[in-house]
Amino acid sequence: MRLGVTEHRVRLGAEEYRVLSVRGLRRALCFDSEHWLSLWVDRGAAAELAAAWLLAARSPRSLVHLPLRRRDERPVGVALPEPHRARDLLLLHHSLQFPASRWKEVRARAGKAGSQHTVEFRRADFPLPHDRGVPDAHHAEFRDRLRLSTAADTLVLSGSALPFADAAADFLDLADTGLGPGPHPGGHVCAELHPGSGLLEPSMPLMHVEYRAEWEPVPRDA
């Protein structure tokens, strides 16, 4: 599995940030629905989403940016929320202690230039079901949970490698489900990051990622 990224180096004062902006994700949308976070993806975007989250798990010194706000296509039959609720994603390791309030300036300084790379993952790089149980995840002392903040139309998710890799495996399963019509053509197929897993901060809302096979151009006045 290959993931295209553009690398940027951005300096703010004494700090330098490495930003990895994911290319592709052609048929992917992310919206903040106030009560939960909604993403729609086709099969290819589900696989790229999985690879991007695994990249975040393996790149603790980088900011992994998924630009999802301005898209040319949308799922057929989906009533999208208000445009101002469209969101990008920014994934980062909590050890960076990156203030979300800096993201707007970092993104602006990154611009469009940068060095392009291709990151490759094997299926074996993703956690298997028997590797994903975390006995201590529900204990108060557990510190590896994903935390959410919002800045500059971006959902900023910070945590350890564990929840990023765990979610990546779920998204890869979703891509596999989207190989064909499956046993329930036209049915609802999704992956969810649920607070009940113990890997999300209790205050973080449900993240719902839905597979949609059919997409259409976004009207210019939408």
Side-chain angles (χ1 to χ4, degrees), residues 152-175:
D153 298 320
T154 302
L155 302 175
V156 181
L157 293 160
S158 63
S160 75
L162 175 63
F164 283 126
D166 190 81
D170 284 340
F171 300 148
L172 187 63
D173 288 345
L174 183 62

Side-chain angles (χ1 to χ4, degrees), residues 88-164:
D88 288 347
L89 290 179
L90 185 68
L91 315 176
L92 58 108
H93 198 276
H94 55 55
S95 64
L96 283 175
Q97 297 183 325
F98 176 76
S101 58
R102 290 188 180 180
W103 171 238
K104 184 176 183 179
E105 187 174 2
V106 169
R107 183 178 62 192
R109 293 197 179 194
K112 296 183 179 180
S115 56
Q116 296 191 354
H117 306 277
T118 299
V119 184
E120 295 194 21
F121 294 109
R122 302 166 301 161
R123 183 169 293 273
D125 293 327
F126 293 82
L128 296 172
H130 62 266
D131 296 327
R132 296 168 61 189
V134 186
D136 298 329
H138 292 277
H139 292 182
E141 303 82 34
F142 189 73
R143 293 291 181 264
D144 285 339
R145 299 182 184 93
L146 285 181
R147 181 185 301 272
L148 171 70
S149 54
T150 305
D153 298 320
T154 302
L155 302 175
V156 181
L157 293 160
S158 63
S160 75
L162 175 63
F164 283 126

Side-chain angles (χ1 to χ4, degrees), residues 23-78:
R23 303 195 304 273
L25 293 166
R26 177 167 166 255
R27 289 180 168 175
L29 277 170
C30 178
F31 281 87
D32 182 349
S33 301
E34 294 186 354
H35 301 295
W36 59 82
L37 309 176
S38 297
L39 286 91
W40 294 281
V41 292
D42 71 352
R43 182 200 168 203
E48 291 171 333
L49 186 67
W53 282 62
L54 190 59
L55 178 63
R58 297 195 166 194
S59 306
R61 305 306 301 169
S62 301
L63 309 175
V64 179
H65 176 220
L66 286 69
L68 300 173
R69 283 180 299 147
R70 300 182 179 91
R71 318 306 291 171
D72 296 326
E73 294 187 78
R74 66 182 180 185
V76 172
V78 167

Side-chain angles (χ1 to χ4, degrees), residues 182-196:
H184 305 290
H188 184 94
V189 181
C190 68
E192 291 184 339
L193 303 188
H194 198 284

